[in-house]
Amino acid sequence: MTNEIYYSGGNTRQMSNTGANLASESVSLLVKVFPWFREDDYYSISTPAFHEVLGERVITCCLPLLATDALAGPGYALGNRKFCLDTQTSFLRLYRLFDGEKPGWLPPSARVLFIGENRAEYGRPYNDKADTFHDIYFAGDEAEIEAAFGLPERRGKYETYYGATVKNGQPVRVKQYLYDEQGGFSDWDVIWMMHAKKAAKAAPSN
């Protein structure tokens, strides 16, 4: 079962549970390129997708939250490992609640939910291009966002969200995330609310 699909220009990526046919094809690729890869470390694996900034094919593998906490510390809503097939490198992508100023290039209805930042792992080869960008993830009026970024009309039957890859303060690509039914990946706003409440409880009181 496909949990998520995104479109970025002419590039498409699908995310599915480990054990699904799509995931199994990616696992076969990963085992050949990364001898240390363990399928059991992840709960979801993507198809390979060309990353326009990194300039190569990338497979995304989602880590359980306990593993993310162990690798990066608490405070993240999600963590995954990006496997760069052509350079045989990898890095962590860590997602936290967005707490900055809304970028001026976003349309009025856009509400930023998360920021995704890249981190090298000790002792593992790393693509330095990952230091040059981050991603922000947002919701908003679909028609307004499509018009603002010149995107085709693509919308999930259940929900649609967006991700912008930001380099030197400006978006260099905008991804459309489509969900045709409710599932573990589909309710970004609910995940945001859960972690916002958790962060509020953890904040020191005056």
Side-chain angles (χ1 to χ4, degrees):
M1 175 183 174
T2 298
N3 295 328
E4 169 189 277
I5 183 168
Y6 88 49
Y7 297 88
S8 174
N11 298 309
T12 304
R13 188 195 77 186
Q14 297 182 65
M15 183 72 73
S16 59
N17 294 334
T18 53
N21 288 337
L22 281 175
S24 297
E25 294 172 10
S26 293
V27 167
S28 297
L29 276 172
L30 289 168
V31 168
K32 292 177 183 177
V33 179
F34 301 91
W36 54 270
F37 170 81
R38 285 170 40 90
E39 182 179 1
D40 291 345
D41 290 341
Y42 312 97
Y43 65 87
S44 190
I45 298 176
S46 79
T47 55
F50 183 78
H51 193 289
E52 296 90 335
V53 177
L54 294 173
E56 63 177 311
R57 298 170 301 148
V58 176
I59 293 177
T60 299
C61 298
C62 294
L63 291 157
L65 194 56
L66 285 176
T68 299
D69 289 348
L71 288 167
Y76 295 101
L78 175 68
N80 57 46
R81 187 173 276 123
K82 303 281 188 178
F83 290 93
C84 305
L85 297 174
D86 303 312
T87 57
Q88 299 183 18
T89 58
S90 67
F91 60 91
L92 292 177
R93 163 61 63 82
L94 302 168
Y95 304 79
R96 59 177 174 83
L97 299 181
F98 182 80
D99 58 1
E101 183 178 346
K102 177 181 171 180
W105 42 262
L106 281 172
S109 71
R111 182 170 67 93
V112 185
L113 302 171
F114 302 100
I115 181 169
E117 299 166 324
N118 305 322
R119 183 184 298 183
E121 292 189 86
Y122 180 76
R124 287 181 174 160
Y126 178 65
N127 186 337
D128 290 338
K129 291 180 181 178
D131 289 332
T132 67
F133 68 91
H134 65 272
D135 287 69
I136 63 170
Y137 300 87
F138 57 97
D141 179 83
E142 290 93 344
E144 184 183 58
I145 292 170
E146 290 162 359
F149 296 107
L151 302 173
E153 183 178 314
R154 291 191 181 113
R155 302 171 191 179
K157 295 176 183 176
Y158 176 76
E159 194 60 89
T160 306
Y161 292 100
Y162 303 90
T165 300
V166 182
K167 189 173 182 179
N168 298 321
Q170 294 297 316
V172 294
R173 65 171 184 167
V174 176
K175 298 167 285 183
Q176 298 165 285
Y177 288 81
L178 276 56
Y179 303 91
D180 286 336
E181 59 186 30
Q182 189 175 27
F185 286 80
S186 62
D187 294 298
W188 294 13
D189 50 348
V190 175
I191 297 170
W192 182 93
M193 188 177 300
M194 289 171 52
H195 284 274
K197 289 180 177 178
K198 184 177 178 181
K201 287 182 179 179
S205 56
N206 294 329

